[in-house]
Amino acid sequence: MSGHDFIGEADRSLDRTYEEPRSLAEYVDLVLDEPALAAHASKYLLSAIEAAGTRTVIEEGEQKERYRFFDDPHNDGEHAILGNTEVLNSFVDDLRSIAAGRGKDEKIVWLDGPTATGKSELKRCLINGLREYSKTDEGRRYTVEWNVAGAGSGGAGLTYADEPVADEDDWYESPVQAHPLTVFPEDVREDLVARINDNLDDHIPVRVEGRLDPFCREAYEYLEENYRREGVEELFSAITDPQHLRVKNYVVDVGQGIGVLHSEDDGPPKERLVGSWMRGMLQELDSRGRKNPQAFSYDGVLSQGNGLLTVVEDAAQHADLLQKLLNVPDEKSVKLDKGIGMDIDTQLIIISNPDLEAQLNQHADREGQDPLKALKRRLDKHEFTYLTNLSLETELLRRELTDETEVWDADSWGELEEWIQEPLSVHVRDENDEVNAKELAPHALEAAALYAVVTRLDVSDVPNGHDLVDKALLFDRGYLQEGDERIEADEFDFTDEGSDGSHGIPVTFTRDVIADLFHREQDRHHGDLDVEHVVMPRDILNAMAEDLSTAPVFSNAEAADFEERVVPVKNHVFGQQEDDVLDAMMRDKRVDEETVEEYIEHVYAWSTDEQIENDRGEYVDPDPLKMKVFEIEHLGRFDEVDYAGNRPGEAVEAFREDKIITALNRHAWQRRDEEFRVEDVSPKEIPVIQTVLGSHSWDDVKRAYEDFDPRQWDEPPSGTETADLKAKTVENMQDMFDYSEASAELTSRHVMSQVSYKWD
């Protein structure tokens, strides 16, 4: 594309975003035809969230519907909120109640939680999502602008400029995004809104309440006074004539429909809330013995957020404002001055860390005399917590270490597991300003994320026979796979009163530990192979556990507790590495899918006393020898003693019925469509079958490679079976699991160092 092509594309983008201003009558016709365009603030915010649709996720072991809006889809996921789906859904439910007028109107939505839990991301996600939604046809947002130049005779006109100007420069937009329908007298507006709601295909009616803002009222009253003086009979028509009033659409953004009060913003409470008087302008304007609203700045957070959303960030820094906001949600009004009030329509949200709650509870022991009791009663709390899903924490950690922003939306756990276990390459600039590539080996990020999650889980409700790693995996998958058995989440009884996610290792600590490892020389050498740049899972786990005691963010008790939890994580990650090495070693011995399907066919026929159609179209009995050979050689589950000739013994029969037939039937039932039809059920897709057919043991290795000796792995003698198997294993690890040669070498050496102790 040429430069002109890009300029043209930008022109078309803006053309799609903005419309030509229209008259008030044309706007009324528009909203009668498309009622949702007249939505009040909370209804508009709800519509923007729902317009993005939903997707299914698993969190804390339960399947939940998540609004895609919170994945920041308009910004390629850069500020997506990971996890906390239940909290976000509760927030949307409250919005729905507020928008419908079914209660909670007087509530201030309070988003609370520790640092690095996604609260700030929610603010950015709301800004991005609302901005982009307002650019769409169904999300257009409208306000009014006025032109009083030439109205009547002898007036000073309505202008912020030192000298009146002509034409387009004489138009002044409402500084607080006034709703166009607030121009109408109240009785007429009620009838009009009723007509709009009659046309609305929605259970939440449009509400337009309050008066024009003071700036617009000044224009309205100025025009009204002049036209009344001139004896005009159709006074409203004259005031709202297209030469004086027009409706324009605007793109929602900070300062225009979204007000954000940052922690560093200062000034008197009223200035932070609505704005301040401009003394120079008061002197310039003819205020007729009173303060003229034209001379007000309207740069406070409520003024900027009027018409949509007001966010108070780091609310503990603005605790003095919270009591001033007490009556804003239900009265929907604030004052610029004693005699000048401003009606507002905004959804008020405050964001804080737990220190705000400490401030609010400082007088709790006074019970009925608590001066903050009224404020606490009006706060509707939604508590963000640390992530308790391994996949989400891994995704967040990758975001912290790289520029990746794409939201993980896997079709299956297998796909998600691949992403969790992937290696990561990061370019790091050293003290000599040279850029070096650092490699996080496969399972390294998984190890870091799993350890962080394990420190956030409540140990009190973990069932006997399980540990916190099991709980973490259950929260992420929705089930546990224990050998041949699949245990669903609903078989566990986790208490609702648990403290999962309320404390633990934050992602910022993990990120900083890994960043330090990038700049730390690893004490490793292996011939000519460069392995110093590789960060292994155990490197991260050891560093995290060692740094707990010196990190000021943790108490001594927390550090001691978290340090004890690293052992099961190390064991789990070693098991993952061991599986990789075993699979790579036994790659050539793996059974192909055609052989698996043939075995399943024969087992099904054996179970149902049916015949099988062979390649020649002949129907034959299931072959007991084929089943026996498969079960002994490929499954490694049985020996000759388990059969009477080719006839299966009781243990074999039970295995076929319980582990093969039952698992296939269950999977087929789960894959049925609305008409109870099942198509394309592959045995390889069934979790139980995957476990039975896809796993290998060291006994399998012994049987396949009789002269293999793991104690020779580091430096195997040339020409030995160990040397040949090592070369093949390292190559297979790179091909099958994306290891580099260096990380495959280090991982296999680590696994063999443990295996060699028990080899004999």
Side-chain angles (χ1 to χ4, degrees), residues 347-595:
Q347 181 55 54
L348 186 56
I349 297 175
I350 67 170
I351 300 175
S352 77
N353 292 328
D355 48 357
L356 175 61
E357 187 160 21
Q359 292 186 48
L360 294 175
N361 290 330
Q362 60 183 307
H363 305 296
D365 57 341
R366 296 168 60 178
E367 297 181 354
Q369 303 301 315
D370 185 350
L372 298 176
K373 190 173 183 178
L375 171 59
K376 289 190 285 187
R377 189 173 60 246
R378 294 194 180 227
L379 293 173
D380 190 17
K381 185 178 179 181
H382 298 271
E383 189 168 4
F384 277 68
T385 59
Y386 289 123
L387 298 176
T388 54
N389 275 50
L390 169 61
S391 58
L392 291 173
E393 184 68 13
T394 308
E395 181 181 359
L396 179 60
L397 194 49
R398 287 185 75 99
R399 284 167 170 260
E400 291 287 328
L401 294 169
T402 68
D403 294 329
E404 295 179 13
T405 60
E406 184 178 357
V407 174
W408 290 2
D409 188 6
D411 294 326
S412 66
W413 164 254
E415 185 178 6
L416 200 57
E417 188 173 38
E418 287 183 12
W419 296 342
I420 293 170
Q421 298 175 354
E422 279 182 348
L424 179 65
S425 179
V426 179
H427 289 84
V428 179
R429 192 176 297 276
D430 63 18
E431 58 186 13
N432 298 320
D433 207 32
E434 294 182 358
V435 177
N436 299 303
K438 297 291 183 177
E439 177 190 350
L440 288 172
H443 304 291
L445 277 186
E446 177 187 14
L450 181 60
Y451 184 32
V453 167
V454 160
T455 65
R456 302 167 186 172
L457 298 178
D458 189 344
V459 71
S460 65
D461 57 3
V462 176
N464 290 334
H466 296 277
D467 58 22
L468 285 171
V469 169
D470 292 332
K471 185 174 181 180
L473 296 176
L474 184 70
F475 274 12
D476 209 25
R477 300 174 182 170
Y479 66 89
L480 283 180
Q481 191 73 40
E482 297 185 349
D484 303 335
E485 297 292 334
R486 173 167 167 155
I487 307 173
E488 302 293 338
D490 55 13
E491 297 181 36
F492 292 84
D493 185 22
F494 295 120
T495 62
D496 294 333
E497 292 77 25
S499 59
D500 297 321
S502 62
H503 67 290
I505 292 177
V507 69
T508 47
F509 173 84
T510 310
R511 177 201 64 201
D512 293 345
V513 167
I514 294 175
D516 287 342
L517 286 173
F518 285 157
H519 295 283
R520 190 183 304 172
E521 289 294 327
Q522 305 296 331
D523 185 19
R524 298 194 188 99
H525 302 283
H526 182 74
D528 296 331
L529 187 62
D530 178 16
V531 295
E532 283 80 7
H533 68 287
V534 180
V535 178
M536 298 292 290
R538 63 186 181 277
D539 297 331
I540 298 177
L541 293 176
N542 288 337
M544 290 177 70
E546 290 168 3
D547 290 357
L548 288 170
S549 59
T550 57
V553 70
F554 305 119
S555 67
N556 291 336
E558 284 178 321
D561 178 25
F562 298 164
E563 189 173 352
E564 290 179 358
R565 301 189 184 199
V566 76
V567 174
V569 177
K570 285 184 174 181
N571 292 339
H572 172 78
V573 173
F574 176 78
Q576 300 283 80
Q577 295 174 311
E578 186 178 27
D579 287 344
D580 288 352
V581 173
L582 275 169
D583 286 347
M585 295 177 76
M586 299 294 291
R587 185 181 189 181
D588 295 343
K589 309 296 183 181
R590 295 170 74 184
V591 58
D592 60 77
E593 188 163 350
E594 185 177 333
T595 303

Side-chain angles (χ1 to χ4, degrees), residues 322-363:
L322 298 185
Q323 288 187 289
K324 302 287 184 182
L325 290 170
L326 266 180
N327 297 323
V328 169
D330 51 347
E331 293 183 5
K332 296 180 174 58
S333 179
V334 293
K335 282 189 173 183
L336 312 185
D337 203 65
K338 291 181 180 179
I340 305 176
M342 180 173 72
D343 295 333
I344 61 169
D345 174 31
T346 188
Q347 181 55 54
L348 186 56
I349 297 175
I350 67 170
I351 300 175
S352 77
N353 292 328
D355 48 357
L356 175 61
E357 187 160 21
Q359 292 186 48
L360 294 175
N361 290 330
Q362 60 183 307
H363 305 296

